[in-house]
Amino acid sequence: MAGKNGAEANLVSCDICETLCSTKDASLTHCPCCGASLHLRDKDSLAKSAAYLLAAAILYIPANLLPVMHTETIFGGQDDTIMSGVLLLLETGSWPLALLVFFASIMVPMLKLFSISLLLLTCWRKSTSNPLPRTQLFRLIEAVGRWSMLDVYVVTVLVALVQFQSLASVHPGGGALAFGAVVVLTMLSAQSFDSRLIWSAIETSHE
């Protein structure tokens, strides 16, 4: 079995509990430990991940240009984009919240878009360099993905804080919808990416 990959050894690992299961038994379609569906490599993994990533990159533009919220006060209405909201928070002295919004709403999506693009490009070119750091990068993207909705939570808290004040009200703008779509699409892109492709190029080059 040494030197063989999982498909050649008729083995597949569960995506949920990582239990190693044999594919020799055709009736075994679910993990015997956790019951999750078992599946071999998706041949269209790169194409699906790239499609989700492209859609996310396109929507990232209106997410930053369109207002994410509209504020109504006794002095009139005001539209704020993500960046203008960060600057407003800095001007009012709320720099911890400004840093949190900047990191969660601007830095994290940009880093995710760049990192997934790098993984897709290197796998598409069948690069054999730095497989372990690229695998660690993918695991980091997956871990960050669990906290991607932090952006939405921040906006929700902001809206709730302002609504407590009777002289002001906040309504979500088109940018918030685009931003939410970016978060979901980047998560789908990461989930569609098969990290085993990183090591497939090395196995092929050794044959």
Side-chain angles (χ1 to χ4, degrees), residues 131-178:
L132 183 57
R134 284 190 287 148
T135 302
Q136 292 171 336
L137 176 62
F138 175 70
R139 289 175 180 169
L140 178 63
I141 294 171
E142 281 192 316
V144 170
R146 299 168 188 170
W147 297 94
S148 293
M149 295 307 288
L150 178 65
D151 325 47
V152 180
Y153 297 151
V154 170
V155 174
T156 304
V157 170
L158 277 176
V159 171
L161 288 174
V162 175
Q163 296 291 5
F164 275 125
Q165 302 176 16
S166 58
L167 298 179
S169 63
V170 174
H171 304 282
L177 181 62

Side-chain angles (χ1 to χ4, degrees), residues 8-40:
E8 293 169 342
N10 296 316
L11 295 172
V12 61
S13 63
C14 174
D15 292 337
I16 305 301
C17 65
E18 299 183 350
T19 298
L20 204 56
C21 306
S22 172
T23 58
K24 290 182 179 178
D25 184 2
S27 63
L28 185 63
T29 58
H30 291 77
C31 175
C33 290
C34 67
S37 298
L38 298 174
H39 58 83
L40 298 175

Side-chain angles (χ1 to χ4, degrees), residues 18-96:
E18 299 183 350
T19 298
L20 204 56
C21 306
S22 172
T23 58
K24 290 182 179 178
D25 184 2
S27 63
L28 185 63
T29 58
H30 291 77
C31 175
C33 290
C34 67
S37 298
L38 298 174
H39 58 83
L40 298 175
R41 298 187 184 187
D42 185 355
K43 296 179 180 178
D44 300 324
S45 170
L46 275 183
K48 289 179 182 177
S49 183
Y52 286 129
L53 183 69
L54 179 62
I58 293 173
L59 285 174
Y60 187 68
I61 299 172
N64 282 275
L65 296 180
L66 295 177
V68 292
M69 61 184 181
H70 176 77
T71 308
E72 281 287 344
T73 66
I74 57 174
F75 303 107
Q78 180 178 343
D79 290 325
D80 283 300
T81 63
I82 294 176
M83 198 62 207
S84 68
V86 171
L87 295 176
L88 181 63
L89 289 170
L90 285 175
E91 290 174 359
T92 56
S94 303
W95 61 267

Side-chain angles (χ1 to χ4, degrees), residues 42-53 116-126 189 192-195 197-198:
D42 185 355
K43 296 179 180 178
D44 300 324
S45 170
L46 275 183
K48 289 179 182 177
S49 183
Y52 286 129
L53 183 69
I116 298 175
S117 299
L118 178 65
L119 291 175
L120 290 176
L121 181 62
T122 53
C123 287
W124 177 67
R125 298 186 63 181
K126 300 186 185 303
S189 179
S192 301
F193 179 74
D194 189 344
S195 60
L197 292 171
I198 297 174

